[in-house]
Amino acid sequence: MTELSKSGAAVGEPVKDSPAPSAFLEVRDLKVHFPTDDGLVKSVDGLSFALEKGKTLGIVGESGSGKSVTSLGIMGLHTAGQYGKRKAQISGEIWLDGTELLSADPDYVRKLRGREMAMIFQDPLSALHPYYTIGQQIVEAYRIHHKVDKKVARRRAIEMLDRVGIPQPDKRVDSYPHEFSGGMRQRAMIAMSLVNNPELLIADEPTTALDVTVQAQILDLIRDLQQEFGSAVIIITHDLGVVAELSDDILVMYGGRCIERGPAEKVFYEPRHPYTWGLLGSMPRLDREQTERLIPVKGSPPSLINIPSGCAFNPRCSYADVPKDNVTRTVRPELTEVGSQHWAACHMTHEQRERIWTEEIAPKL
Ligand SMILES: Nc1ncnc2c1ncn2[C@@H]1O[C@H](COP(=O)(O)OP(=O)(O)OP(=O)(O)O)[C@@H](O)[C@H]1O
Ligand code: SF4
Ligand SMILES: [Mg+2]
């Protein structure tokens, strides 16, 4: 993850007319808000990060933290009725390969989708049409961006199905989605996402609902394909273990904001935010007894409508009283550098966090 320029890192301030970044993908102060009868839902509220080609960024956070809304926003799909009919309010900047997408012509963004950027959706059934064969759908996805006849596109579809490990691809190409198992459908969707060799691939919880063996195969597949095509990959999951293994960098989301980001090994082995400590404690681990495996982060996620002042993690944080002058309850902590390329948003001092991590948290994990 390339570190942001000063202006890019200034979470909270829209940065207009700023120069194009050098990173392949740079998201600056992204906000996606949804007007609802109950008020404005601030699903993503000032998110900034950068990603280079050939690198993988893992986005992790519990349910409702804004991971899918972030990816839909990058893909220009936040308004596509995926989550409701009212128009989302989106602001900030999304730079892809030198072009700012939020201010770009929607037709241009539509053309990029599927060709330069593609997404593996959380639910493959929502992305595959039930009335068309898998082959027809991959052929269609390919022909939108390549002027080739159906025969050539069909050969390409079979090649992609083979590439993602679907047996007898020349026969299965004519199957309908319901004739595939969950794992096979996920593979078919990956084949469709990758048919145009996208330079940016967003995989939104690509393994939820799959059994452990298939999960591992799908993750290996994404890694192999990334190495082959040199794409930039964003992988989204609840599971810090998965992102630690696959990613170069990790971004931890809480209540629509980033609370920690940095190189994967730093965030995983030297995390500096109490919420990340909680996520690590809730990770399934093979070396633990079943009974002591999952200790979920206690409490519930913050409201995205009435966001309290101060630190959003305060009601759930065991260390809320550690920072002096009660600053935690009134001032929102901004991301500050806690190590090389490593940022966390917490009012505790560096020394306080280092001591708590080393003496209290790490020995129990
Ligand atoms: N159209 C919408 N209207 C109102 N609220 C919305 C809308 N779309 C998303 N949200 C809310 O935004 C928040 C973030 O949703 P999002 O789908 O990004 O979560 P997530 O991190 O992907 O969670 P999960 O891990 O369960 O997939 C949720 O509270 C969700 O209810
Ligand atoms: S700022 Fe305070 S409440 Fe928030 S994570 Fe840090 S210690 Fe916990
Ligand atoms: Mg999601």
Side-chain angles (χ1 to χ4, degrees), residues 34 36 41 43 62-69 83-84 122 205 238 304:
F34 296 99
T36 70
V41 179
S43 298
E62 65 199 336
S63 194
S65 55
K67 305 180 300 294
S68 293
V69 171
Y83 280 105
Q122 213 164 341
E205 311 225 21
H238 289 95
L304 298 173

Side-chain angles (χ1 to χ4, degrees), residues 20 87 109 185 212 264 267 297:
K87 206 169 174 343
V109 178
R185 272 201 290 267
V212 180
V267 176
V297 183

Side-chain angles (χ1 to χ4, degrees), residues 161-225:
L161 290 177
D162 186 35
R163 189 69 196 77
V164 300
I166 290 190
Q168 298 186 292
D170 48 336
K171 296 206 170 55
R172 302 311 300 262
V173 69
D174 296 317
S175 305
Y176 289 88
H178 71 265
E179 297 176 289
F180 274 28
S181 66
M184 287 296 163
R185 272 201 290 267
Q186 194 65 283
R187 283 168 199 262
M189 190 171 53
I190 295 175
M192 194 159 83
S193 310
L194 293 172
V195 70
N196 295 307
N197 299 351
E199 293 181 90
L200 171 67
L201 176 70
I202 303 182
D204 189 358
E205 311 225 21
T207 58
T208 330
L210 300 179
D211 73 52
V212 180
T213 325
V214 184
Q215 276 185 22
Q217 288 170 356
I218 300 277
L219 294 172
D220 281 349
L221 178 67
I222 294 174
R223 185 166 33 200
D224 289 354
L225 294 167

Side-chain angles (χ1 to χ4, degrees), residues 1 47 49 56-68 70-71 203-205 234-245 247 249-264 267-268 271 273 275-284 297:
M1 182 163 46
L47 192 68
F49 63 85
T56 300
L57 170 70
I59 300 186
V60 66
E62 65 199 336
S63 194
S65 55
K67 305 180 300 294
S68 293
T70 300
S71 14
D204 189 358
E205 311 225 21
I234 297 180
I235 184 146
I236 294 174
T237 158
H238 289 95
D239 189 338
L240 200 46
V242 166
V243 290
E245 201 181 313
S247 312
D249 295 295
I250 296 179
L251 187 156
V252 185
M253 279 189 87
Y254 187 76
R257 296 170 67 91
C258 167
I259 53 92
E260 180 157 7
R261 65 178 151 90
V267 176
F268 197 68
H273 194 285
Y275 176 62
T276 318
W277 298 343
L279 286 181
L280 277 169
S282 67
M283 243 179 66
V297 183

Side-chain angles (χ1 to χ4, degrees), residues 39 43 86 105 112 127 172 304 322 329:
S43 298
R86 290 212 211 164
D105 181 351
L112 288 186
R172 302 311 300 262
L304 298 173
V322 173
R329 289 193 176 79

Side-chain angles (χ1 to χ4, degrees), residues 273-275 311-315 317-323 328 333 345-348:
H273 194 285
Y275 176 62
C311 175
F313 190 55
N314 180 351
C317 182
S318 310
Y319 305 95
D321 294 328
V322 173
T328 290
C346 170
H347 286 309
M348 280 192 279

